[in-house]
Amino acid sequence: MRVVLAEDLFLLRDGLVRLLEAYGFEIAAAVESGPELDRALAELRPDVAVVDVRLPPTHTDEGLQCALRARRDRPGLPVLVLSQHVEQLYARELLADGSGAVGYLLKDRVFDAEQFVDAVRRVAAGGTAMDPQVIQQLLSRRADDRPLGGLTPRELEVLELMAQGRSNAAIAGQLVVTERAIAKHTSNIFTKLGLEVSDDDNRRVLAVLAYLDRDR
């Protein structure tokens, strides 16, 4: 099983390489930055990627962003994320397509080699491996989401089409209205769901997640 590993701390990266090789994994690449990870995932097409959230050059969410880009280019690419904390927005986005093959583990809660290796294998096989604290925080965020009851029937229709992955232009074509009208509907949806403009939040993704969670 071929693995691309991304971790910027040398000692941890070297330790993960040795651990995975000891359990029979082939390390296709072990990289330390976002650009290197982008190239490795595109060129080597591994069976699974093990990715630290924070990588150079930004040291913010570079690893998760690389993983999301790779899964858009190669849907279903198995990705196991390692982090010191929960990046709620991108964790939710990683899970949003419903295709599985994702994991999110907190580094300080991985207690033994077997636990970690089992998570890598489970994700590579198309399953999920989520730390309970990650799930708890995601569910807590969902509990705070405002209900969809304030949306008009047309706004619900637009949101349903958004959840199907349609662009504003495609939605406008199906509903036989202008793109400007759809833009107004989407703006109203974001406002009613309490999704304010932010540099960190993908409001379209959060709105779709609110729709998908409506019956839970």
Side-chain angles (χ1 to χ4, degrees):
M1 188 179 299
R2 300 172 66 250
V3 180
V4 163
L5 171 67
E7 166 59 58
D8 64 320
L9 297 178
F10 168 75
L11 289 178
L12 182 53
R13 184 172 67 253
D14 187 62
L16 288 171
V17 167
R18 293 172 184 270
L19 171 63
L20 290 170
E21 287 181 336
Y23 279 84
F25 293 90
E26 175 189 345
I27 305 301
V31 303
E32 60 180 328
S33 71
E36 289 176 306
L37 178 57
D38 276 331
R39 287 194 296 273
L41 293 176
E43 296 172 5
L44 301 177
R45 300 184 67 80
D47 298 307
V48 61
V50 178
V51 178
D52 185 19
V53 168
R54 296 191 171 189
L55 295 174
T58 66
H59 291 285
T60 54
D61 53 18
E62 193 78 10
L64 258 179
Q65 293 278 25
C66 291
L68 289 168
R69 285 194 294 271
R71 277 176 66 96
R72 285 193 287 268
D73 293 337
R74 182 184 163 191
L77 168 68
V79 173
L80 175 62
V81 174
L82 297 175
S83 181
Q84 296 285 4
H85 53 88
V86 182
E87 291 280 355
Q88 288 196 29
L89 171 67
Y90 296 114
R92 287 162 66 100
E93 189 170 352
L94 196 60
L95 292 165
D97 63 12
S99 61
V102 295
Y104 201 119
L105 301 181
L106 300 178
K107 290 180 180 179
D108 60 358
R109 286 171 51 81
V110 177
F111 301 119
D112 58 61
E114 292 287 347
Q115 176 193 9
F116 175 70
V117 170
D118 177 67
V120 175
R121 287 177 174 155
R122 205 178 329 146
V123 169
T128 59
M130 304 295 292
D131 186 287
Q133 285 193 7
V134 176
I135 296 173
Q136 183 179 13
Q137 289 198 37
L138 295 179
L139 290 175
S140 174
R141 174 63 181 268
R142 286 173 179 170
D144 292 336
D145 286 341
R146 292 178 61 181
L148 304 182
L151 302 184
T152 67
R154 176 61 93 180
E155 289 164 355
L156 281 171
E157 193 173 13
V158 169
L159 184 53
E160 180 180 4
L161 292 170
M162 286 170 57
Q164 295 172 15
R166 308 288 183 85
S167 66
N168 279 5
I171 296 172
Q174 180 159 338
L175 299 182
V176 197
V177 296
T178 64
E179 280 193 56
R180 184 175 179 180
I182 297 303
K184 183 175 181 180
H185 286 313
T186 57
S187 177
N188 289 341
I189 290 168
F190 297 153
T191 299
K192 290 180 179 180
L193 294 181
L195 303 176
E196 299 178 357
V197 177
S198 167
D199 291 334
D200 298 322
D201 287 349
N202 185 324
R203 294 189 296 168
R204 199 176 185 94
V205 170
L206 294 177
V208 166
L209 285 171
Y211 175 79
L212 295 176
D213 291 344
R214 65 197 185 282
D215 296 325
R216 295 183 184 181

